[in-house]
Structures are given as C-alpha cells and as structure tokens.
Amino acid sequence: KENFDSIPDLEFNPIRGKIVHAFFDKRNLRQESDGLADEINFEEFLTIMSYFRPIEMNMDEEQLDRFRKEKLKFLFHMYDSDHDGKITLQEYRNVVEELLSGNPHLEKESARSIADGAMMEAASICVGQMGPDQVYEGITFEDFLKMWQGIDIETKMHVRFLNVDTIAHCY
C-alpha cells in the first residue's frame, strides 16, 4: 500500500484513501471474500486496472451490461466501507465529506446536508414514497444500479494508458 504514496496524481485526490483501499479490497480482486489483501501482485493489479479499461466497439448488449455492472460494483465497494452490502447514510456522509474537504468555503455541516439530501433522493428512487415509520437502511447494489441508470459510466470510468499513434512508430 505504501507504494501508492509515490503516485503523484493520487497525492491531492480527496478520496485517495478510498481509491487505494479499493485496490486491496478482496471483493474487487474477484476473490469473492471479505477483507483486505496486505499486498497485491502484478496479476491482481491488472485485475483492478481492468475496471478502468474503455469499452470495446465490438461488444454486444450482454457484454456491455456485464461490463457496466463490473465497473459499478467496483464503485459500490468504494462506498460500502464496512463490506455489509449496503451503503449507509454514515458511509455516504464520509465519502461526501472527504470529497468536499478541500473546499475551504464549505462547512462540514453543509457537506452533511448534501449527503443527507442525496440519500433521501436515493430512497425516493429505490423505494418510492416511504411511510413516516419507514427507515431507508441503505443503498444495496440493486439500488445503486437503479441510481446509475442512464449515466454513461462505461465511457466515463476509464483510463487511457497510451495516447500514441502506434502506426507512426512502425516502419
């Protein structure tokens, strides 16, 4: 994990800790178990990086759907810090506070209000009208999929590793 400290682009990212944590989350390593790995090997590093690969033009609808769900599962795991299968209000508040921590004009209470409002919106999308005695316990992965419906995560969550015209280098 300490090797990630030397990555300059991560240094100023407000959710740096969550990103690094995601690299060692056994769920993201497709080990189907709970907890964190102490270290990852090259193959496991590539497994994590595969979540950030761009879509391929020849993918059919089923492949695109699976690809999308893999990316969203990775994001879901970043928010679900206690690994219980739900993003609770407190977990969401923590992420929003981390994201907004670099803004000196925004107080912690404002960040909390933003998180609370977003969680209420999630409840209305996923559960609908709730009764006064109902409590929304948290966002499940199925809820998370509903919330991200219509958002183009396939092209937004990717990393371009090479931006070189390879033809120009071949003679």
Side-chain angles (χ1 to χ4, degrees):
K1 291 178 188 172
E2 56 275 357
N3 296 115
F4 282 84
D5 290 333
S6 61
I7 299 174
D9 288 346
L10 272 180
E11 185 178 353
F12 300 108
N13 191 313
I15 59 168
R16 177 188 170 283
K18 291 228 177 284
I19 294 168
V20 172
H21 182 89
F23 270 79
F24 295 88
D25 188 326
K26 290 182 180 180
R27 299 171 299 174
N28 293 335
L29 293 169
R30 299 185 181 130
Q31 296 177 353
E32 299 301 323
S33 61
D34 195 20
L36 296 175
D38 293 325
E39 58 184 29
I40 57 174
N41 61 31
F42 183 67
E43 186 176 318
E44 292 165 330
F45 177 79
L46 291 178
T47 297
I48 297 298
M49 294 308 296
S50 73
Y51 292 105
F52 297 94
R53 70 185 189 277
I55 61 171
E56 297 170 23
M57 294 303 149
N58 61 348
M59 287 182 165
D60 62 27
E61 282 300 314
E62 186 178 316
Q63 290 170 318
L64 275 172
D65 186 54
R66 188 173 54 250
F67 188 73
R68 175 181 177 74
K69 284 181 180 172
E70 285 178 6
K71 286 180 179 280
L72 289 172
K73 192 71 138 173
F74 181 86
L75 287 176
F76 182 81
H77 291 157
M78 283 182 61
Y79 289 96
D80 179 24
S81 58
D82 66 1
H83 304 230
D84 70 348
K86 286 186 193 143
I87 301 168
T88 63
L89 176 57
Q90 190 55 52
E91 286 171 320
Y92 193 67
R93 280 178 178 165
N94 292 342
V95 172
V96 171
E97 287 174 7
E98 285 177 39
L99 280 170
L100 300 176
S101 64
N103 186 337
H105 306 293
L106 196 64
E107 296 176 12
K108 191 173 185 173
E109 195 56 43
S110 296
R112 181 173 281 237
S113 294
I114 291 168
D116 292 357
M119 190 60 85
M120 286 176 60
E121 179 70 19
S124 72
I125 290 171
C126 301
V127 179
Q129 186 65 34
M130 291 176 36
D133 58 338
Q134 279 184 293
V135 175
Y136 186 59
E137 294 187 17
I139 301 168
T140 63
F141 183 63
E142 290 72 29
D143 292 346
F144 199 70
L145 288 175
K146 286 179 193 174
M147 293 167 53
W148 282 84
Q149 197 169 16
I151 298 174
D152 188 17
I153 191 69
E154 300 85 9
T155 57
K156 293 185 185 313
M157 186 178 154
H158 76 272
V159 174
R160 235 177 246 175
F161 294 99
L162 220 41
N163 197 9
V164 177
D165 185 5
T166 55
I167 303 294
H169 296 289
C170 299
Y171 294 105

